[in-house]
Amino acid sequence: MAADLEKKTDRYEGLLAEALDAASVAPPEGTPMHDAALECEEMAASYLEDGRHFRDDDDLVNALASFSYGHAWLDAGARIGLFDVPTEGHLFTV
């Protein structure tokens, strides 16, 4: 069971890191939507950092939750047009 949690945590960390690299802010600078995209991107990056901290402390449950929440910020932002993301593949549900 612990091995499954460790594998899943590692997988979700990788997905979030890859999604952060793949997403680019879509709205033009100087618009409220651009600011919203930057905030979502910052939240996702913060959850990635938090998850890594939790994993370093052997708290895999909170690490997995952090990686999942971070990805949710990006995925939701992509669905409402804050990010340009790949439409093929496994990173986003657009």
Side-chain angles (χ1 to χ4, degrees):
M1 179 94 156
D4 291 337
L5 179 59
E6 189 171 343
K7 281 177 151 179
K8 192 171 201 174
T9 301
D10 290 344
R11 184 171 150 252
Y12 276 63
E13 177 190 8
L15 287 171
L16 176 52
E18 191 177 348
L20 271 166
D21 286 341
S24 59
V25 173
E29 285 187 46
T31 65
M33 293 297 279
H34 183 268
D35 294 344
L38 293 178
E39 289 178 20
C40 286
E41 186 176 52
E42 181 181 357
M43 289 298 294
S46 293
Y47 275 115
L48 179 60
E49 184 179 321
D50 290 349
R52 288 174 172 165
H53 173 77
F54 285 128
R55 193 184 53 207
D56 289 345
D57 287 345
D58 292 322
D59 185 352
L60 296 180
V61 170
N62 281 318
L64 178 58
S66 292
F67 298 143
S68 297
Y69 280 122
H71 201 264
W73 277 93
L74 289 178
D75 211 25
R79 289 184 69 71
I80 63 171
L82 296 179
F83 301 109
D84 288 325
V85 298
T87 56
E88 299 294 321
H90 62 283
L91 291 178
F92 297 96
T93 59
V94 292

